[in-house]
Amino acid sequence: ERLYGIWSDGGSGILLSGNIQVDGAKRERPGNVIVDGRLAEDAFAARKRMAAAGTRNGNQRGAQISHEGRQTQKIVKPAPKAPAAVRLRLPQSQFGEPVALTTEEIESLIDRFVSCAVTCKEAGFTGVQFHSAHGYLLSQFLSPLTNQRDDEWGGSLENRARALISIVTR
């Protein structure tokens, strides 16, 4: 709140939060900001203060909404969920072995992204960004390298983009 207020007072114009996670049970790392369903009154009030501080002086305050997918350290989640069971191949990898999401889990995640966006709007954020880059979950859906599904969520670009388009549409 204090930091975004300082930036807002400096005339930044647009401020975007870092990762606001949509699923507390599958967060990227300890300490992430989470908007997972209805927030407790004090947590919602904190989001409102954060949004208000970031919109002072006419600034726009966006919420970056994300889910890390397979990019979760194995000490946090040894078997993270992802579009497909394609492991993140890095030397000395600290990332877990991903498990492919079921269709029901994908639909639930879409609902979580939408719910998080609605909550952020109700808290006073003026926009949202559905984090679809840097190898996070929505990026994993879009890439044919990480999305090796053969159902309605994989294969063609239209199918690989289905989750993101569904979120934006809803």
Side-chain angles (χ1 to χ4, degrees):
E1 176 185 338
R2 193 165 137 235
L3 176 62
Y4 287 111
I6 291 168
W7 286 342
S8 188
D9 292 343
S12 60
I14 298 174
L15 294 169
L16 184 65
S17 72
N19 298 327
I20 296 178
Q21 301 289 300
V22 300
D23 189 347
K26 296 171 183 73
R27 65 182 182 267
E28 175 193 29
R29 62 180 52 128
N32 281 133
V33 173
I34 299 166
V35 175
D36 183 1
R38 298 277 309 147
L39 294 175
E41 195 172 313
D42 60 333
F44 185 74
R47 301 307 176 271
K48 283 183 77 164
R49 289 190 307 272
M50 187 190 301
T55 56
R56 292 195 306 235
N57 300 316
N59 287 314
Q60 299 298 308
R61 177 73 165 101
Q64 182 187 67
I65 300 173
S66 63
H67 186 292
E68 71 295 327
R70 72 181 189 158
Q71 281 191 190
T72 306
Q73 292 180 344
K74 59 186 165 190
I75 61 168
V76 175
K77 194 76 172 171
K81 294 290 189 159
V86 178
R87 187 156 193 229
L88 188 58
R89 301 274 181 223
L90 292 175
Q92 312 261 313
S93 182
Q94 297 178 6
F95 297 94
E97 190 71 42
V99 175
L101 290 157
T102 66
T103 296
E104 294 77 23
E105 288 171 325
I106 295 168
E107 289 290 346
S108 174
L109 280 168
I110 290 169
D111 290 341
R112 287 175 184 275
F113 272 92
V114 173
S115 174
C116 182
V118 168
T119 298
C120 288
K121 180 180 180 190
E122 290 171 349
F125 287 83
T126 58
V128 296
Q129 176 192 64
F130 298 112
H131 193 334
S132 306
H134 310 125
Y136 275 46
L137 182 70
L138 295 176
S139 173
Q140 293 164 33
F141 270 103
L142 293 169
S143 172
L145 299 175
T146 53
N147 183 348
Q148 298 180 358
R149 300 176 73 94
D150 59 5
D151 61 5
E152 70 270 27
W153 305 102
S156 69
L157 177 57
E158 179 181 6
N159 284 355
R160 294 191 322 269
R162 187 177 312 281
L164 176 58
I165 299 298
S166 295
I167 292 165
V168 172
T169 301
R170 291 183 197 175

